Amino acid sequence: MTVDLEAASTTQLVNAVSAIAAELAQRQAPESAAACLELTETLAAACDIQESALAGFIRRVDTTGEQKRWGYPSTRAWLRSRLGMRENRTTERLILARQRDRLPQVAERLAAGELSYGYAATVAQSVARLEDTDCAQAEMTLLGFVDQGFSAAKVGVFGRRICDVIAERDGTDTAPGEDAKRGYAKSWITSTGSLDGGRYIKGWLNAEDAAIWDGTLAPLAKPAGPDDHRDAGERTAAALSSVLSGGHKATKVTVICDLETLTGGNAPARLTDGTPIPAAQARRIALAAGVSPLLLGRGHTPLYLGYRERFASAAQRQVLETLYPTCAVRECEIPGTLCEVDHVNGWALGNSPTDIDQLVLTCGWHNRFKHTSPDQIGISKDPDGRYVYRLLPPPGARSRSRTGSGPPGTIGPPDATANWAA
């Protein structure tokens, strides 16, 4: 492979890097551990330099809103879904892209290979809350700590302290944290799911709500007796669960299982998001919440229910949440419980009655996107009969595979330079 670096377009350079990376991934690591150590450091430094270019690309997409033309509601959603980034890396790259123009020294040193991506991302995150003047001062200070050999983690600590001092000094905090923006007049609670089906809870209660909390939960959170070895947190969680379930009455929990499981079998059940739960736990939930049968046909597809009203019924909604743990758009991660009911072929067009086999769950953004850009949604069914929506390129745009447009060793399609040259 021969590439004229000065004459090559940006597209040709990116395709060359992609081809080299694909070839390198197929090579076996050298036998020499010392050589591997040196190569690792060299390759990591090269990856950091590439992060500079990547930040520029992301910045351009973010400022122009190009991702929306392709069916992604935000730059963050595009990075997570299309590029498969985890949340932490998505946040790092997005902040660096947005702060890059305000950090000229960081951008220059990152592009020159004199600053690692970890340091650059740390500095960018530290100054995100500052005005431009304070940002410039903070950049010089934090790069000074970098030059002194402090780790990226310690530079991050210094950055948070500098940010807090500057913001408190003269009220220049232009983007306070979510908690601070809410204030203390209103109560709030946020929750995020864990990988095992659990949920992390964070929140704030004002004085009035805190009094209700204490008055309701404190009596229920007392130790049940000398043999109750639960700590206060465990007892409080149990008390809250009891209150939310109405004293073990009318709890709405959807558990998918066989009749044999409820009658003593060992086959595991699952929640609507696919989380498996032991048979014994499924039976405990059934005893506490009651059982509502859901008749399933072949392939675990709910049978036709015959509802033809404009809006889906509560029963249909329950079935849809069982079928669609997330938005029907394959690239979207919004939980089904937060989605809207969508008529597959358009109720207003007279092609899609409100029948269970004509309904899906989509998030609010993609529901609107589907009806304003119908030619950018591909509709199909999976082997179990569930609808799958896939995002299609905008009209006239050239589709690109996530894994590249040609086999390893090629430099993109023949028209790459004509269509994508910088």
Side-chain angles (χ1 to χ4, degrees):
M1 178 187 301
T2 301
V3 178
D4 186 339
L5 298 181
E6 294 184 357
S9 69
T10 301
T11 297
Q12 289 175 319
L13 292 178
V14 170
N15 286 333
V17 170
S18 178
I20 292 172
E23 177 63 29
L24 183 59
Q26 302 301 318
R27 302 289 182 91
Q28 294 294 326
E31 293 294 333
S32 170
C36 287
L37 186 147
E38 182 178 356
L39 291 173
T40 297
E41 294 180 354
T42 302
L43 184 59
C47 291
D48 285 345
I49 295 174
Q50 291 178 182
E51 289 288 348
S52 176
L54 191 62
F57 297 158
I58 294 174
R59 170 72 173 171
R60 183 61 57 86
V61 171
D62 185 55
T63 55
T64 61
E66 175 66 14
Q67 76 284 346
K68 293 183 179 179
R69 281 209 315 132
W70 295 76
Y72 300 96
S74 66
T75 306
R76 183 181 299 274
W78 167 62
L79 293 174
R80 284 201 313 260
S81 301
R82 182 65 174 172
L83 277 69
M85 293 185 191
R86 299 188 66 176
E87 184 62 30
N88 289 344
R89 179 55 65 89
T90 298
T91 300
E92 281 185 351
R93 281 180 164 151
L94 189 54
I95 291 178
L96 179 59
R98 289 174 174 174
Q99 299 299 318
R100 184 168 176 264
D101 292 344
R102 300 207 306 154
L103 299 170
Q105 295 184 53
V106 169
E108 180 180 352
R109 292 176 61 172
L110 179 62
E114 300 171 357
L115 187 70
S116 73
Y117 167 75
Y119 280 120
T122 299
V123 175
Q125 188 167 11
S126 298
V127 304
R129 295 165 54 192
L130 304 179
E131 291 185 345
D132 290 346
T133 301
D134 291 328
C135 173
Q137 297 177 1
E139 180 188 23
M140 290 189 297
T141 302
L142 293 175
L143 287 178
F145 289 128
V146 172
D147 294 336
Q148 294 178 49
F150 286 101
S151 68
K154 288 186 177 180
V155 172
V157 173
F158 297 145
R160 287 191 294 272
R161 181 55 184 155
I162 290 173
C163 181
D164 291 341
V165 169
I166 294 176
E168 293 171 4
R169 179 197 64 201
D170 51 11
T172 57
D173 189 349
T174 58
E178 291 298 319
D179 297 357
K181 285 192 294 186
R182 291 189 178 96
Y184 298 99
K186 297 180 180 180
S187 301
W188 57 267
I189 291 177
T190 60
S191 67
T192 55
S194 64
L195 295 178
D196 60 357
R199 189 159 291 276
Y200 296 100
I201 306 295
K202 177 183 178 181
W204 158 262
L205 299 179
N206 60 25
E208 180 180 356
D209 291 338
I212 296 174
W213 172 282
D214 292 336
T216 303
L217 296 184
L220 300 176
K222 294 179 179 179
D227 295 329
D228 188 351
H229 301 296
R230 299 172 300 169
D231 59 27
E234 293 172 332
R235 296 196 305 272
T236 300
L240 180 61
S241 178
S242 177
V243 171
L244 293 177
S245 65
H248 301 294
K249 298 177 183 177
T251 304
K252 180 187 176 183
V253 179
T254 300
V255 177
I256 304 170
C257 64
D258 297 330
L259 180 60
E260 181 182 352
T261 299
L262 288 181
T263 57
N266 295 322
R270 65 181 176 88
L271 302 178
T272 54
D273 62 358
T275 302
I277 60 175
Q281 184 178 356
R283 287 191 287 271
R284 286 198 300 271
I285 293 175
L287 288 174
V291 178
S292 297
L294 177 62
L295 184 60
L296 299 179
R298 179 175 300 178
H300 296 287
T301 302
L303 299 179
Y304 174 77
L305 300 183
Y307 296 105
R308 295 183 179 275
E309 292 81 5
R310 170 64 181 87
F311 299 103
S313 68
Q316 288 175 315
R317 174 87 196 196
Q318 183 180 8
V319 171
L320 291 172
E321 290 179 2
T322 302
L323 281 174
Y324 299 94
T326 61
C327 172
V329 175
R330 180 56 56 88
E331 296 88 345
C332 187
E333 304 170 356
I334 301 298
T337 53
L338 302 179
C339 288
E340 301 172 356
V341 177
D342 176 57
H343 292 73
V344 176
N345 296 309
W347 183 84
L349 301 176
N351 299 324
S352 188
T354 311
D355 296 335
I356 197 62
D357 56 1
Q358 294 291 322
L359 303 175
V360 299
L361 294 181
T362 57
C363 69
W365 197 92
H366 279 121
N367 195 356
R368 293 187 295 273
F369 181 81
K370 172 176 176 283
H371 293 286
T372 57
S373 306
D375 53 352
Q376 285 187 243
I377 294 289
I379 302 176
S380 61
K381 285 188 176 183
D382 66 12
D384 289 334
R386 288 184 290 260
Y387 286 99
V388 176
Y389 290 178
R390 294 184 182 277
L391 296 175
L392 303 177
R398 185 166 60 90
S399 177
R400 287 182 59 87
S401 169
R402 171 65 181 91
T403 56
S405 54
T410 62
I411 309 297
D415 62 342
T417 302
N419 290 342
W420 293 86

